[in-house]
PDB file of all heavy atoms in Angstrom:
ATOM      1  N   LEU A  33      25.858 -73.984  30.094  1.00 97.00           N
ATOM      2  CA  LEU A  33      25.945 -73.001  31.164  1.00 97.00           C
ATOM      3  C   LEU A  33      25.766 -73.669  32.481  1.00 97.00           C
ATOM      4  O   LEU A  33      24.905 -74.581  32.627  1.00 97.00           O
ATOM      5  CB  LEU A  33      24.884 -71.921  30.979  1.00 97.00           C
ATOM      6  CG  LEU A  33      24.823 -71.219  29.625  1.00 97.00           C
ATOM      7  CD1 LEU A  33      23.588 -70.345  29.504  1.00 97.00           C
ATOM      8  CD2 LEU A  33      26.074 -70.372  29.403  1.00 97.00           C
ATOM      9  N   TYR A  35      24.907 -72.783  36.505  1.00 98.00           N
ATOM     10  CA  TYR A  35      24.417 -71.749  37.454  1.00 98.00           C
ATOM     11  C   TYR A  35      24.407 -72.357  38.845  1.00 98.00           C
ATOM     12  O   TYR A  35      24.207 -73.550  39.027  1.00 98.00           O
ATOM     13  CB  TYR A  35      23.002 -71.321  37.132  1.00 98.00           C
ATOM     14  CG  TYR A  35      22.814 -70.495  35.887  1.00 98.00           C
ATOM     15  CD1 TYR A  35      22.603 -71.101  34.649  1.00 98.00           C
ATOM     16  CD2 TYR A  35      22.834 -69.097  35.943  1.00 98.00           C
ATOM     17  CE1 TYR A  35      22.432 -70.321  33.508  1.00 98.00           C
ATOM     18  CE2 TYR A  35      22.655 -68.344  34.812  1.00 98.00           C
ATOM     19  CZ  TYR A  35      22.455 -68.957  33.583  1.00 98.00           C
ATOM     20  OH  TYR A  35      22.267 -68.187  32.451  1.00 98.00           O
ATOM     21  N   GLN A  37      22.386 -71.596  42.584  1.00 98.00           N
ATOM     22  CA  GLN A  37      21.323 -70.825  43.243  1.00 98.00           C
ATOM     23  C   GLN A  37      21.364 -71.068  44.746  1.00 98.00           C
ATOM     24  O   GLN A  37      21.241 -72.221  45.197  1.00 98.00           O
ATOM     25  CB  GLN A  37      19.942 -71.217  42.659  1.00 98.00           C
ATOM     26  CG  GLN A  37      18.835 -70.335  43.176  1.00 98.00           C
ATOM     27  CD  GLN A  37      17.525 -70.606  42.465  1.00 98.00           C
ATOM     28  OE1 GLN A  37      17.256 -71.690  41.928  1.00 98.00           O
ATOM     29  NE2 GLN A  37      16.646 -69.590  42.450  1.00 98.00           N
ATOM     30  N   GLY A  40      16.578 -68.609  48.349  1.00 93.00           N
ATOM     31  CA  GLY A  40      16.000 -67.281  48.369  1.00 93.00           C
ATOM     32  C   GLY A  40      16.643 -66.283  47.414  1.00 93.00           C
ATOM     33  O   GLY A  40      16.313 -65.086  47.493  1.00 93.00           O
ATOM     34  N   GLU A  41      17.520 -66.746  46.547  1.00 96.00           N
ATOM     35  CA  GLU A  41      18.214 -65.852  45.619  1.00 96.00           C
ATOM     36  C   GLU A  41      18.036 -66.338  44.173  1.00 96.00           C
ATOM     37  O   GLU A  41      17.569 -67.454  43.944  1.00 96.00           O
ATOM     38  CB  GLU A  41      19.729 -65.801  45.932  1.00 96.00           C
ATOM     39  CG  GLU A  41      20.072 -65.272  47.309  1.00 96.00           C
ATOM     40  CD  GLU A  41      19.724 -63.824  47.503  1.00 96.00           C
ATOM     41  OE1 GLU A  41      19.769 -63.066  46.496  1.00 96.00           O
ATOM     42  OE2 GLU A  41      19.428 -63.396  48.662  1.00 96.00           O
ATOM     43  N   GLY A  42      18.396 -65.485  43.210  1.00 97.00           N
ATOM     44  CA  GLY A  42      18.357 -65.927  41.835  1.00 97.00           C
ATOM     45  C   GLY A  42      19.576 -66.696  41.458  1.00 97.00           C
ATOM     46  O   GLY A  42      20.620 -66.654  42.104  1.00 97.00           O
ATOM     47  N   PRO A  43      19.512 -67.496  40.378  1.00 97.00           N
ATOM     48  CA  PRO A  43      20.664 -68.245  39.906  1.00 97.00           C
ATOM     49  C   PRO A  43      21.786 -67.290  39.482  1.00 97.00           C
ATOM     50  O   PRO A  43      21.546 -66.242  38.901  1.00 97.00           O
ATOM     51  CB  PRO A  43      20.122 -69.040  38.720  1.00 97.00           C
ATOM     52  CG  PRO A  43      18.676 -69.088  38.891  1.00 97.00           C
ATOM     53  CD  PRO A  43      18.300 -67.803  39.586  1.00 97.00           C
ATOM     54  N   LEU A  45      25.334 -67.127  37.300  1.00 97.00           N
ATOM     55  CA  LEU A  45      26.135 -67.825  36.263  1.00 97.00           C
ATOM     56  C   LEU A  45      27.555 -68.068  36.798  1.00 97.00           C
ATOM     57  O   LEU A  45      28.249 -67.132  37.212  1.00 97.00           O
ATOM     58  CB  LEU A  45      26.174 -66.992  34.991  1.00 97.00           C
ATOM     59  CG  LEU A  45      26.909 -67.618  33.794  1.00 97.00           C
ATOM     60  CD1 LEU A  45      26.251 -68.876  33.337  1.00 97.00           C
ATOM     61  CD2 LEU A  45      27.030 -66.606  32.664  1.00 97.00           C
ATOM     62  N   TYR A  50      31.589 -72.917  25.394  1.00 94.00           N
ATOM     63  CA  TYR A  50      31.131 -72.667  24.024  1.00 94.00           C
ATOM     64  C   TYR A  50      31.699 -73.614  22.964  1.00 94.00           C
ATOM     65  O   TYR A  50      31.321 -73.525  21.799  1.00 94.00           O
ATOM     66  CB  TYR A  50      31.516 -71.250  23.629  1.00 94.00           C
ATOM     67  CG  TYR A  50      30.941 -70.180  24.561  1.00 94.00           C
ATOM     68  CD1 TYR A  50      31.763 -69.541  25.479  1.00 94.00           C
ATOM     69  CD2 TYR A  50      29.599 -69.830  24.501  1.00 94.00           C
ATOM     70  CE1 TYR A  50      31.261 -68.569  26.317  1.00 94.00           C
ATOM     71  CE2 TYR A  50      29.078 -68.869  25.363  1.00 94.00           C
ATOM     72  CZ  TYR A  50      29.929 -68.248  26.248  1.00 94.00           C
ATOM     73  OH  TYR A  50      29.406 -67.307  27.095  1.00 94.00           O
ATOM     74  N   PHE A  88      22.455 -75.759  38.619  1.00 98.00           N
ATOM     75  CA  PHE A  88      21.686 -76.039  37.419  1.00 98.00           C
ATOM     76  C   PHE A  88      22.603 -75.976  36.194  1.00 98.00           C
ATOM     77  O   PHE A  88      23.431 -75.064  36.063  1.00 98.00           O
ATOM     78  CB  PHE A  88      20.584 -74.987  37.176  1.00 98.00           C
ATOM     79  CG  PHE A  88      19.460 -75.030  38.188  1.00 98.00           C
ATOM     80  CD1 PHE A  88      19.370 -74.130  39.210  1.00 98.00           C
ATOM     81  CD2 PHE A  88      18.457 -75.992  38.026  1.00 98.00           C
ATOM     82  CE1 PHE A  88      18.329 -74.160  40.116  1.00 98.00           C
ATOM     83  CE2 PHE A  88      17.393 -76.039  38.948  1.00 98.00           C
ATOM     84  CZ  PHE A  88      17.334 -75.146  39.989  1.00 98.00           C
ATOM     85  N   PRO A  92      20.973 -73.332  25.378  1.00 89.00           N
ATOM     86  CA  PRO A  92      19.973 -72.983  24.415  1.00 89.00           C
ATOM     87  C   PRO A  92      19.837 -74.124  23.392  1.00 89.00           C
ATOM     88  O   PRO A  92      20.828 -74.695  22.957  1.00 89.00           O
ATOM     89  CB  PRO A  92      20.553 -71.729  23.749  1.00 89.00           C
ATOM     90  CG  PRO A  92      22.013 -71.859  23.904  1.00 89.00           C
ATOM     91  CD  PRO A  92      22.262 -72.671  25.155  1.00 89.00           C
ATOM     92  N   SER A 100      22.621 -71.959  17.924  1.00 71.00           N
ATOM     93  CA  SER A 100      21.878 -71.844  19.185  1.00 71.00           C
ATOM     94  C   SER A 100      20.781 -70.814  19.015  1.00 71.00           C
ATOM     95  O   SER A 100      21.042 -69.734  18.495  1.00 71.00           O
ATOM     96  CB  SER A 100      22.801 -71.411  20.316  1.00 71.00           C
ATOM     97  OG  SER A 100      23.774 -72.378  20.584  1.00 71.00           O
ATOM     98  N   GLN A 101      19.626 -71.132  19.460  1.00 72.00           N
ATOM     99  CA  GLN A 101      18.531 -70.166  19.381  1.00 72.00           C
ATOM    100  C   GLN A 101      17.478 -70.552  20.393  1.00 72.00           C
ATOM    101  O   GLN A 101      17.495 -71.618  20.953  1.00 72.00           O
ATOM    102  CB  GLN A 101      17.961 -70.119  17.961  1.00 72.00           C
ATOM    103  CG  GLN A 101      17.314 -71.438  17.515  1.00 72.00           C
ATOM    104  CD  GLN A 101      16.826 -71.338  16.094  1.00 72.00           C
ATOM    105  OE1 GLN A 101      17.618 -71.181  15.183  1.00 72.00           O
ATOM    106  NE2 GLN A 101      15.538 -71.428  15.904  1.00 72.00           N
ATOM    107  N   GLY A 102      16.579 -69.607  20.565  1.00 76.00           N
ATOM    108  CA  GLY A 102      15.511 -69.897  21.517  1.00 76.00           C
ATOM    109  C   GLY A 102      15.974 -69.703  22.941  1.00 76.00           C
ATOM    110  O   GLY A 102      17.044 -69.201  23.208  1.00 76.00           O
ATOM    111  N   ASN A 103      15.119 -70.098  23.828  1.00 85.00           N
ATOM    112  CA  ASN A 103      15.347 -69.836  25.235  1.00 85.00           C
ATOM    113  C   ASN A 103      16.005 -71.021  25.908  1.00 85.00           C
ATOM    114  O   ASN A 103      15.989 -72.132  25.402  1.00 85.00           O
ATOM    115  CB  ASN A 103      13.997 -69.503  25.894  1.00 85.00           C
ATOM    116  CG  ASN A 103      13.348 -68.315  25.207  1.00 85.00           C
ATOM    117  OD1 ASN A 103      13.976 -67.286  25.047  1.00 85.00           O
ATOM    118  ND2 ASN A 103      12.091 -68.459  24.806  1.00 85.00           N
ATOM    119  N   LEU A 104      16.610 -70.749  27.063  1.00 91.00           N
ATOM    120  CA  LEU A 104      17.396 -71.777  27.755  1.00 91.00           C
ATOM    121  C   LEU A 104      16.509 -72.960  28.186  1.00 91.00           C
ATOM    122  O   LEU A 104      15.397 -72.767  28.627  1.00 91.00           O
ATOM    123  CB  LEU A 104      18.064 -71.206  28.987  1.00 91.00           C
ATOM    124  CG  LEU A 104      19.189 -70.184  28.759  1.00 91.00           C
ATOM    125  CD1 LEU A 104      19.791 -69.771  30.102  1.00 91.00           C
ATOM    126  CD2 LEU A 104      20.227 -70.714  27.825  1.00 91.00           C
ATOM    127  N   PHE A 106      16.664 -75.831  31.060  1.00 95.00           N
ATOM    128  CA  PHE A 106      17.336 -76.086  32.343  1.00 95.00           C
ATOM    129  C   PHE A 106      17.226 -77.534  32.745  1.00 95.00           C
ATOM    130  O   PHE A 106      16.232 -78.183  32.497  1.00 95.00           O
ATOM    131  CB  PHE A 106      16.681 -75.239  33.469  1.00 95.00           C
ATOM    132  CG  PHE A 106      17.065 -73.802  33.441  1.00 95.00           C
ATOM    133  CD1 PHE A 106      16.403 -72.898  32.619  1.00 95.00           C
ATOM    134  CD2 PHE A 106      18.126 -73.346  34.231  1.00 95.00           C
ATOM    135  CE1 PHE A 106      16.735 -71.578  32.603  1.00 95.00           C
ATOM    136  CE2 PHE A 106      18.476 -71.999  34.212  1.00 95.00           C
ATOM    137  CZ  PHE A 106      17.784 -71.111  33.400  1.00 95.00           C
ATOM    138  N   GLY A 107      18.302 -78.045  33.357  1.00 96.00           N
ATOM    139  CA  GLY A 107      18.222 -79.323  34.070  1.00 96.00           C
ATOM    140  C   GLY A 107      17.436 -79.122  35.337  1.00 96.00           C
ATOM    141  O   GLY A 107      17.117 -77.979  35.723  1.00 96.00           O
TER     142      GLY A 107
ATOM    143  N   ARG B   9      11.666 -57.512  46.935  1.00 96.00           N
ATOM    144  CA  ARG B   9      12.217 -58.858  47.117  1.00 96.00           C
ATOM    145  C   ARG B   9      11.152 -59.806  47.662  1.00 96.00           C
ATOM    146  O   ARG B   9      11.172 -61.009  47.395  1.00 96.00           O
ATOM    147  CB  ARG B   9      13.419 -58.831  48.065  1.00 96.00           C
ATOM    148  CG  ARG B   9      14.651 -58.084  47.498  1.00 96.00           C
ATOM    149  CD  ARG B   9      15.252 -58.828  46.272  1.00 96.00           C
ATOM    150  NE  ARG B   9      15.373 -60.238  46.521  1.00 96.00           N
ATOM    151  CZ  ARG B   9      16.424 -60.807  47.116  1.00 96.00           C
ATOM    152  NH1 ARG B   9      17.424 -60.084  47.588  1.00 96.00           N
ATOM    153  NH2 ARG B   9      16.481 -62.131  47.259  1.00 96.00           N
ATOM    154  N   TYR B  33      13.414 -61.645  30.367  1.00 96.00           N
ATOM    155  CA  TYR B  33      12.638 -62.870  30.625  1.00 96.00           C
ATOM    156  C   TYR B  33      11.993 -62.792  31.993  1.00 96.00           C
ATOM    157  O   TYR B  33      12.570 -62.222  32.929  1.00 96.00           O
ATOM    158  CB  TYR B  33      13.549 -64.117  30.647  1.00 96.00           C
ATOM    159  CG  TYR B  33      14.476 -64.285  29.456  1.00 96.00           C
ATOM    160  CD1 TYR B  33      15.653 -63.592  29.350  1.00 96.00           C
ATOM    161  CD2 TYR B  33      14.112 -65.174  28.420  1.00 96.00           C
ATOM    162  CE1 TYR B  33      16.501 -63.753  28.254  1.00 96.00           C
ATOM    163  CE2 TYR B  33      14.950 -65.360  27.317  1.00 96.00           C
ATOM    164  CZ  TYR B  33      16.154 -64.657  27.245  1.00 96.00           C
ATOM    165  OH  TYR B  33      16.987 -64.851  26.187  1.00 96.00           O
ATOM    166  N   TYR B  35      10.537 -65.648  34.749  1.00 97.00           N
ATOM    167  CA  TYR B  35      10.417 -67.095  35.122  1.00 97.00           C
ATOM    168  C   TYR B  35       9.617 -67.201  36.406  1.00 97.00           C
ATOM    169  O   TYR B  35       9.689 -66.323  37.290  1.00 97.00           O
ATOM    170  CB  TYR B  35      11.788 -67.690  35.378  1.00 97.00           C
ATOM    171  CG  TYR B  35      12.680 -67.909  34.171  1.00 97.00           C
ATOM    172  CD1 TYR B  35      13.504 -66.894  33.689  1.00 97.00           C
ATOM    173  CD2 TYR B  35      12.724 -69.144  33.540  1.00 97.00           C
ATOM    174  CE1 TYR B  35      14.350 -67.090  32.608  1.00 97.00           C
ATOM    175  CE2 TYR B  35      13.581 -69.362  32.460  1.00 97.00           C
ATOM    176  CZ  TYR B  35      14.384 -68.338  32.005  1.00 97.00           C
ATOM    177  OH  TYR B  35      15.200 -68.552  30.933  1.00 97.00           O
ATOM    178  N   GLN B  37       9.435 -69.892  39.623  1.00 98.00           N
ATOM    179  CA  GLN B  37      10.180 -71.030  40.211  1.00 98.00           C
ATOM    180  C   GLN B  37       9.489 -71.460  41.506  1.00 98.00           C
ATOM    181  O   GLN B  37       9.358 -70.654  42.422  1.00 98.00           O
ATOM    182  CB  GLN B  37      11.635 -70.679  40.448  1.00 98.00           C
ATOM    183  CG  GLN B  37      12.462 -71.887  40.915  1.00 98.00           C
ATOM    184  CD  GLN B  37      13.883 -71.536  41.154  1.00 98.00           C
ATOM    185  OE1 GLN B  37      14.241 -70.460  41.570  1.00 98.00           O
ATOM    186  NE2 GLN B  37      14.812 -72.474  40.883  1.00 98.00           N
ATOM    187  N   GLN B  41      12.481 -76.717  42.259  1.00 93.00           N
ATOM    188  CA  GLN B  41      12.284 -76.976  40.817  1.00 93.00           C
ATOM    189  C   GLN B  41      13.155 -76.043  39.988  1.00 93.00           C
ATOM    190  O   GLN B  41      13.601 -75.009  40.493  1.00 93.00           O
ATOM    191  CB  GLN B  41      10.827 -76.848  40.438  1.00 93.00           C
ATOM    192  CG  GLN B  41       9.898 -77.841  41.084  1.00 93.00           C
ATOM    193  CD  GLN B  41       8.463 -77.658  40.617  1.00 93.00           C
ATOM    194  OE1 GLN B  41       8.179 -76.974  39.632  1.00 93.00           O
ATOM    195  NE2 GLN B  41       7.523 -78.239  41.371  1.00 93.00           N
ATOM    196  N   ALA B  42      13.329 -76.371  38.735  1.00 95.00           N
ATOM    197  CA  ALA B  42      14.021 -75.471  37.842  1.00 95.00           C
ATOM    198  C   ALA B  42      13.133 -74.292  37.500  1.00 95.00           C
ATOM    199  O   ALA B  42      11.892 -74.411  37.591  1.00 95.00           O
ATOM    200  CB  ALA B  42      14.425 -76.229  36.547  1.00 95.00           C
ATOM    201  N   LEU B  45       9.931 -70.813  32.316  1.00 95.00           N
ATOM    202  CA  LEU B  45       9.773 -69.576  31.586  1.00 95.00           C
ATOM    203  C   LEU B  45       8.329 -69.225  31.344  1.00 95.00           C
ATOM    204  O   LEU B  45       7.507 -70.087  30.951  1.00 95.00           O
ATOM    205  CB  LEU B  45      10.479 -69.728  30.206  1.00 95.00           C
ATOM    206  CG  LEU B  45      10.493 -68.478  29.332  1.00 95.00           C
ATOM    207  CD1 LEU B  45      11.302 -67.348  29.971  1.00 95.00           C
ATOM    208  CD2 LEU B  45      11.060 -68.814  27.966  1.00 95.00           C
ATOM    209  N   HIS B  48       9.074 -63.822  27.326  1.00 93.00           N
ATOM    210  CA  HIS B  48      10.291 -63.054  27.067  1.00 93.00           C
ATOM    211  C   HIS B  48       9.989 -61.949  26.080  1.00 93.00           C
ATOM    212  O   HIS B  48       9.033 -62.037  25.301  1.00 93.00           O
ATOM    213  CB  HIS B  48      11.443 -63.929  26.616  1.00 93.00           C
ATOM    214  CG  HIS B  48      11.352 -64.374  25.177  1.00 93.00           C
ATOM    215  ND1 HIS B  48      10.676 -65.502  24.780  1.00 93.00           N
ATOM    216  CD2 HIS B  48      11.869 -63.853  24.044  1.00 93.00           C
ATOM    217  CE1 HIS B  48      10.774 -65.649  23.484  1.00 93.00           C
ATOM    218  NE2 HIS B  48      11.486 -64.673  23.025  1.00 93.00           N
ATOM    219  N   MET B  88       8.606 -68.089  43.634  1.00 98.00           N
ATOM    220  CA  MET B  88       9.669 -67.122  43.406  1.00 98.00           C
ATOM    221  C   MET B  88       9.547 -66.738  41.918  1.00 98.00           C
ATOM    222  O   MET B  88       9.419 -67.590  41.062  1.00 98.00           O
ATOM    223  CB  MET B  88      11.046 -67.743  43.670  1.00 98.00           C
ATOM    224  CG  MET B  88      12.213 -66.875  43.283  1.00 98.00           C
ATOM    225  SD  MET B  88      12.488 -65.545  44.441  1.00 98.00           S
ATOM    226  CE  MET B  88      13.704 -66.314  45.482  1.00 98.00           C
ATOM    227  N   LEU B  90      11.485 -64.824  38.921  1.00 98.00           N
ATOM    228  CA  LEU B  90      12.818 -64.424  38.512  1.00 98.00           C
ATOM    229  C   LEU B  90      12.780 -63.652  37.224  1.00 98.00           C
ATOM    230  O   LEU B  90      12.132 -64.062  36.246  1.00 98.00           O
ATOM    231  CB  LEU B  90      13.724 -65.639  38.347  1.00 98.00           C
ATOM    232  CG  LEU B  90      13.940 -66.497  39.594  1.00 98.00           C
ATOM    233  CD1 LEU B  90      14.523 -67.866  39.213  1.00 98.00           C
ATOM    234  CD2 LEU B  90      14.896 -65.791  40.532  1.00 98.00           C
ATOM    235  N   GLN B  97      18.831 -63.813  22.186  1.00 81.00           N
ATOM    236  CA  GLN B  97      18.327 -65.153  22.449  1.00 81.00           C
ATOM    237  C   GLN B  97      19.427 -66.135  22.118  1.00 81.00           C
ATOM    238  O   GLN B  97      20.144 -66.006  21.143  1.00 81.00           O
ATOM    239  CB  GLN B  97      17.127 -65.446  21.585  1.00 81.00           C
ATOM    240  CG  GLN B  97      15.813 -64.950  22.236  1.00 81.00           C
ATOM    241  CD  GLN B  97      14.619 -65.462  21.477  1.00 81.00           C
ATOM    242  OE1 GLN B  97      14.317 -64.968  20.402  1.00 81.00           O
ATOM    243  NE2 GLN B  97      13.941 -66.430  22.042  1.00 81.00           N
ATOM    244  N   GLY B  98      19.457 -67.210  22.978  1.00 79.00           N
ATOM    245  CA  GLY B  98      20.483 -68.234  22.735  1.00 79.00           C
ATOM    246  C   GLY B  98      21.805 -67.918  23.414  1.00 79.00           C
ATOM    247  O   GLY B  98      22.719 -68.726  23.398  1.00 79.00           O
ATOM    248  N   GLU B 100      23.932 -66.544  27.075  1.00 92.00           N
ATOM    249  CA  GLU B 100      23.772 -66.745  28.493  1.00 92.00           C
ATOM    250  C   GLU B 100      22.893 -65.655  29.123  1.00 92.00           C
ATOM    251  O   GLU B 100      22.880 -64.519  28.673  1.00 92.00           O
ATOM    252  CB  GLU B 100      25.140 -66.769  29.188  1.00 92.00           C
ATOM    253  CG  GLU B 100      25.957 -65.510  29.040  1.00 92.00           C
ATOM    254  CD  GLU B 100      26.922 -65.574  27.870  1.00 92.00           C
ATOM    255  OE1 GLU B 100      26.683 -66.346  26.921  1.00 92.00           O
ATOM    256  OE2 GLU B 100      27.912 -64.834  27.915  1.00 92.00           O
ATOM    257  N   GLN B 101      22.116 -66.090  30.148  1.00 95.00           N
ATOM    258  CA  GLN B 101      21.174 -65.153  30.810  1.00 95.00           C
ATOM    259  C   GLN B 101      21.722 -64.797  32.185  1.00 95.00           C
ATOM    260  O   GLN B 101      22.360 -65.624  32.853  1.00 95.00           O
ATOM    261  CB  GLN B 101      19.813 -65.870  30.951  1.00 95.00           C
ATOM    262  CG  GLN B 101      19.135 -66.125  29.591  1.00 95.00           C
ATOM    263  CD  GLN B 101      17.772 -66.747  29.756  1.00 95.00           C
ATOM    264  OE1 GLN B 101      17.191 -66.786  30.825  1.00 95.00           O
ATOM    265  NE2 GLN B 101      17.270 -67.304  28.643  1.00 95.00           N
ATOM    266  N   TYR B 102      21.394 -63.582  32.573  1.00 97.00           N
ATOM    267  CA  TYR B 102      21.798 -63.100  33.902  1.00 97.00           C
ATOM    268  C   TYR B 102      20.506 -62.800  34.679  1.00 97.00           C
ATOM    269  O   TYR B 102      19.628 -62.115  34.206  1.00 97.00           O
ATOM    270  CB  TYR B 102      22.647 -61.839  33.762  1.00 97.00           C
ATOM    271  CG  TYR B 102      23.928 -62.128  33.070  1.00 97.00           C
ATOM    272  CD1 TYR B 102      24.035 -62.091  31.665  1.00 97.00           C
ATOM    273  CD2 TYR B 102      25.036 -62.539  33.778  1.00 97.00           C
ATOM    274  CE1 TYR B 102      25.206 -62.407  31.026  1.00 97.00           C
ATOM    275  CE2 TYR B 102      26.236 -62.856  33.136  1.00 97.00           C
ATOM    276  CZ  TYR B 102      26.308 -62.804  31.763  1.00 97.00           C
ATOM    277  OH  TYR B 102      27.485 -63.106  31.113  1.00 97.00           O
ATOM    278  N   PHE B 103      20.472 -63.376  35.875  1.00 97.00           N
ATOM    279  CA  PHE B 103      19.256 -63.339  36.686  1.00 97.00           C
ATOM    280  C   PHE B 103      19.321 -62.236  37.750  1.00 97.00           C
ATOM    281  O   PHE B 103      20.381 -61.952  38.300  1.00 97.00           O
ATOM    282  CB  PHE B 103      19.041 -64.675  37.370  1.00 97.00           C
ATOM    283  CG  PHE B 103      18.556 -65.741  36.450  1.00 97.00           C
ATOM    284  CD1 PHE B 103      19.444 -66.467  35.683  1.00 97.00           C
ATOM    285  CD2 PHE B 103      17.205 -66.045  36.387  1.00 97.00           C
ATOM    286  CE1 PHE B 103      18.997 -67.459  34.815  1.00 97.00           C
ATOM    287  CE2 PHE B 103      16.736 -67.049  35.511  1.00 97.00           C
ATOM    288  CZ  PHE B 103      17.629 -67.742  34.739  1.00 97.00           C
ATOM    289  N   GLY B 104      18.136 -61.708  38.092  1.00 98.00           N
ATOM    290  CA  GLY B 104      18.006 -60.878  39.261  1.00 98.00           C
ATOM    291  C   GLY B 104      17.846 -61.752  40.498  1.00 98.00           C
ATOM    292  O   GLY B 104      17.823 -63.001  40.388  1.00 98.00           O
ATOM    293  N   PRO B 105      17.750 -61.108  41.669  1.00 97.00           N
ATOM    294  CA  PRO B 105      17.688 -61.851  42.929  1.00 97.00           C
ATOM    295  C   PRO B 105      16.321 -62.497  43.175  1.00 97.00           C
ATOM    296  O   PRO B 105      16.198 -63.335  44.068  1.00 97.00           O
ATOM    297  CB  PRO B 105      17.966 -60.798  43.999  1.00 97.00           C
ATOM    298  CG  PRO B 105      17.501 -59.530  43.363  1.00 97.00           C
ATOM    299  CD  PRO B 105      17.792 -59.676  41.910  1.00 97.00           C
TER     300      PRO B 105
END
Side-chain angles (χ1 to χ4, degrees):
Chain A
L33 306 171
Y35 289 89
Q37 187 172 25
E41 299 293 331
L45 182 64
Y50 302 105
F88 290 102
S100 295
Q101 62 184 64
N103 302 310
L104 292 183
F106 283 85
Chain B
R9 293 294 314 275
Y33 308 81
Y35 289 86
Q37 187 180 32
Q41 296 181 16
L45 184 64
H48 76 273
M88 173 76 95
L90 297 164
Q97 273 190 287
E100 60 267 24
Q101 294 181 17
Y102 296 89
F103 285 83

